[in-house]
Amino acid sequence: MRDRILQAALPVIQRFTIAKFGMEDVARAAGIARQTVYKHFRSKDDLLVGVYVRHIEQLHPDAMRAAAVRAPSAANLAELFMAQLKAARSFPLFDEALDPRVAPYMAELTLNAPNLIAALEAIWIPILERYRNAKIVRSDLDLPGAVRWIAYQQFWLLTHPNVLATDDGQRAAWVKNFMIPAFLA
């Protein structure tokens, strides 16, 4: 039922916008009672985070798979970061989440959502452990903290795409030269 609700929610949110969709709209699209939606999601915010988590669980591991199997190196860690950034851009609500009226709300919502952070940890912690075992990243690196930092940096790069760089090549150089060194042994 939870997946059915999430599947119905995305087109509803796209149609009504992040700010204006309602639980009743989602219930109607899913063909269920509004109370059933509330049994699975406490609020609109919880449902919206659920939509994001579903996207992360479905697309990000595939986007990162090719880079994840390569031998651990600083360059490959930067490539993983950029692959996840690219996967985030494919999210159907991406452009709307960047709207200046919505972006601060989305940053607060997503970066403080335990289930979203858990989804990112499920992807990143095994990678960071592998890189730590290969002595690429610091042995004292707080892995959950590193995942939150990655999420914040990626959100910042996504919401301010031209502040540091004007294209992905420049962004990749920024990531390689300034962000990834924070992890390195």
Side-chain angles (χ1 to χ4, degrees):
M1 182 56 67
R2 185 177 172 85
D3 194 55
R4 179 175 165 188
I5 295 167
L6 290 171
Q7 193 170 7
L10 182 59
V12 168
I13 297 168
Q14 288 175 296
R15 185 177 45 200
F16 290 103
T17 74
I18 289 172
K20 296 180 183 173
F21 85 95
M23 298 296 257
E24 182 67 39
D25 303 315
V26 174
R28 193 174 310 113
I32 58 176
R34 186 170 53 102
Q35 294 82 356
T36 304
V37 177
Y38 278 108
K39 277 176 66 175
H40 295 275
F41 300 95
R42 296 180 316 271
S43 65
K44 277 179 49 171
D45 288 352
D46 191 32
L47 177 59
L48 187 57
V49 167
V51 170
Y52 273 77
V53 167
R54 185 172 190 252
H55 176 75
I56 289 168
E57 291 172 346
Q58 289 179 344
L59 295 180
H60 289 229
D62 288 342
M64 297 171 69
R65 185 167 288 120
V69 297
R70 292 191 188 108
S73 70
N76 286 339
L77 191 57
E79 191 175 321
L80 282 161
F81 185 100
M82 293 302 295
Q84 190 174 47
L85 206 60
K86 183 178 180 183
R89 283 193 207 113
S90 73
F91 185 51
L93 299 175
F94 176 75
D95 290 333
E96 185 181 346
L98 297 186
D99 182 317
R101 297 166 296 194
V102 177
Y105 160 74
M106 292 306 299
E108 187 89 17
L109 179 66
T110 57
L111 296 174
N112 289 318
N115 51 340
L116 189 135
I117 297 300
L120 292 173
E121 286 176 347
I123 294 167
W124 276 104
I125 287 180
I127 291 167
L128 293 172
E129 286 173 339
R130 182 171 170 241
Y131 276 62
R132 182 168 50 195
N133 292 339
K135 299 186 181 350
I136 301 298
V137 301
R138 297 188 338 251
S139 61
D140 67 339
L141 186 65
D142 168 22
L143 299 184
V147 173
R148 286 188 64 79
W149 187 81
I150 289 169
Y152 175 79
Q153 294 301 320
Q154 289 180 333
F155 194 87
W156 196 88
L157 284 172
L158 291 167
T159 57
H160 300 82
N162 296 319
V163 172
L164 298 175
T166 56
D167 62 42
D168 274 346
Q170 291 175 347
R171 268 184 280 289
W174 184 266
V175 167
K176 179 183 172 204
N177 294 326
F178 298 103
M179 293 180 185
I180 297 304
F183 297 128
L184 299 180

